[in-house]
Amino acid sequence: VDDYVDDYVDDYVDDDFSNGVDDYVDDIVDVEPPSGNNAIVNVNVLTDDFPEETSWKLFDSTGDIVKEIEEFTYTDAKTWYTSTTQVYISEEYRFEISDGYGDGICCNHGDGEYEVRVGGALVGSGSVFGESESFTFVVPDSNTVSRSSNNPPSLCEDSSNEILIDATVGEETCDWLAENFGYYSFLCQFLDIAVACPVTCNACDKVRMQK
């Protein structure tokens, strides 16, 4: 058990991840649960040695900026930062990430990376680029994570035990988390939740379950 926890921390959770969690929690407090026509987008960025150089924008199909992080917003190196916003289902969006110095976020000055998730599902990621890079994606009709059967249950499966969601909801199962993933996907950023619910959190490749 200690081995897979150590591997998870080394591969996915930065030593300074606690700072990123604080930023994540600060960011999501103003985000309402998604309505029937909305889904939640999470932008996760692991900064390199020069975090102040990183910026990004999320555009809708008309070119308007839905969400952005400007240069000098990120201040801590080698730290996960997460931002959350609502988008419309079935609409197309474009994500663009930039580096002020023009050398990306990997790998000459730290091993930074980024990922964009819609309802917990990965729609784009990267690390090595120059001045900027971008991609487009269409928000799927459902913001509920579909469970994959690619991983043998003996190697990766959600626990049947209840997990603490928050002070209001209390304890619930991984099945409950999957059904409400659009709003509670941020819980998967915490190691104990990812270990308990690796299928729901799409963390089977990060958390190697051992009997």
Side-chain angles (χ1 to χ4, degrees), residues 105-133:
I105 56 177
C106 185
C107 300
N108 294 328
H109 302 286
D111 298 324
E113 61 180 286
Y114 72 89
E115 64 176 21
V116 180
R117 294 180 178 270
V118 179
L122 183 68
V123 296
S125 62
S127 58
V128 179
F129 60 91
E131 183 177 343
S132 66
E133 71 176 6

Side-chain angles (χ1 to χ4, degrees), residues 24-41:
Y24 190 99
V25 172
D26 289 342
D27 189 64
I28 66 168
V29 291
D30 295 326
V31 177
E32 295 294 329
S35 65
N37 295 322
N38 297 91
I40 296 293
V41 169

Side-chain angles (χ1 to χ4, degrees), residues 146-163:
S146 60
R147 298 189 172 216
S148 172
S149 60
N150 293 333
N151 300 287
S154 61
L155 296 179
C156 184
E157 59 183 3
D158 285 349
S159 170
S160 60
N161 296 330
E162 292 188 339
I163 54 177

